[in-house]
Amino acid sequence: QQPVQSPQAVILREGEDAVINCSSSKALYSVHWYRQKHGEAPVFLMILLKGGEQKGHEKISASFNEKKQQSSLYLTASQLSYSGTYFCGTEGTSGSRLTFGEGTQLTVNP
Amino acid sequence: NAGVTQTPKFRILKIGQSMTLQCTQDMNHNYMYWYRQDPGMGLKLIYYSVGAGITDKGEVPNGYNVSRSTTEDFPLRLELAAPSQTSVYFCASSYGSPNEKLFFGSGTQLSVL
């Protein structure tokens, strides 16, 4: 089952914060986050394995709540370079294929 | 270090034509994948391979075929192209299991008219 991302789109001013959510109807082993700029390939941000860990990448961090079967991506003090579409990919059991959400389009304006 | 290389970048096909999308990686990765991305949508897995000589279907395999004769190459074949196959196609690879980082190619934009 495809994970559900929310919101579908968000517009920020530079320096503002945002949260992107990824929810699944089934148990999860891992959650992956990727960012895709317009016309380019997706680029890896981070992987979270079950255990509720939180990871960070520059001013972008994420959490994984396996009981709630959801992950959240936190973008702090957003920069213009953060603009793009953010995808979560979920893995139900170890070794299963990733299933990607439909993406959240993030626009950061000056 | 080239990473994952896809060719061609753009292609227009007529209905019923066939073509092969090429994908090669120079990172000695075991796992390789083909995804399609329709406008404004997420990535759908077409086929994947866990090593040379081993391939398996993903979510949307109908109308496509793959082969993996070497570790480096993973071509995707479209037989009898249909308008529903208009999409952007991405090849990706990872070293080990699927819960490792995916490296994507730059994509092939395909239109079937």
Side-chain angles (χ1 to χ4, degrees):
Chain A
Q1 289 84 347
Q2 185 178 30
V4 177
Q5 289 186 233
S6 63
Q8 288 187 317
V10 58
I11 299 174
L12 302 173
R13 289 205 178 275
E14 206 171 1
E16 293 181 338
D17 301 340
V19 180
I20 299 171
N21 299 303
C22 174
S23 297
S24 175
S25 60
K26 62 178 184 179
L28 298 176
Y29 178 77
S30 72
V31 179
H32 302 219
W33 286 98
Y34 287 80
R35 177 171 63 203
Q36 184 179 30
K37 294 188 181 285
H38 184 69
E40 299 181 6
V43 173
F44 172 81
L45 291 176
M46 63 191 79
I47 294 173
L48 300 100
L49 301 178
K50 69 175 184 179
E53 64 180 297
Q54 188 153 347
K55 282 196 170 183
H57 173 79
E58 298 175 342
K59 291 184 179 178
I60 300 174
S61 62
S63 63
F64 178 24
N65 188 324
E66 60 186 272
K67 287 185 178 179
K68 291 185 178 180
Q69 297 160 191
Q70 67 184 32
S71 175
S72 295
L73 187 72
Y74 307 95
L75 298 100
T76 306
S78 59
Q79 305 169 15
L80 296 176
S81 62
Y82 287 2
S83 291
T85 301
Y86 290 78
F87 292 98
C88 70
T90 57
E91 182 186 12
T93 55
S94 178
S96 63
R97 308 281 78 80
L98 276 185
T99 303
F100 284 93
E102 294 192 350
T104 295
Q105 188 170 341
L106 179 78
T107 303
V108 181
N109 292 321
Chain B
N1 200 359
V4 179
T5 303
Q6 287 183 239
T7 57
K9 291 192 182 299
F10 304 94
R11 185 72 185 266
I12 298 175
L13 285 181
K14 293 183 178 178
I15 295 172
Q17 287 186 318
S18 301
M19 76 162 294
T20 299
L21 280 66
Q22 302 292 344
C23 176
T24 186
Q25 51 92 9
D26 62 358
M27 297 174 283
N28 199 33
H29 283 175
N30 294 314
Y31 287 71
M32 295 188 74
Y33 313 82
W34 274 106
Y35 289 93
R36 61 175 285 172
Q37 185 177 36
D38 297 333
M41 305 295 283
L43 298 155
K44 300 288 187 185
L45 183 64
I46 305 171
Y47 270 96
Y48 66 97
S49 169
V50 302
I54 306 170
T55 62
D56 207 348
K57 296 178 181 178
E59 301 171 72
V60 290
N62 291 342
Y64 307 94
N65 276 302
V66 294
S67 60
R68 183 99 182 267
S69 56
T70 66
T71 299
E72 295 79 17
D73 300 309
F74 190 41
L76 177 72
R77 177 84 177 160
L78 278 73
E79 305 282 2
L80 299 175
S84 61
Q85 293 178 305
T86 293
S87 191
V88 179
Y89 292 83
F90 288 103
C91 178
S93 71
S94 63
Y95 178 71
S97 62
N99 59 27
E100 292 190 14
K101 172 182 177 179
L102 292 178
F103 293 79
F104 284 88
S106 57
T108 296
Q109 188 169 327
L110 176 69
S111 296
V112 182
L113 304 175

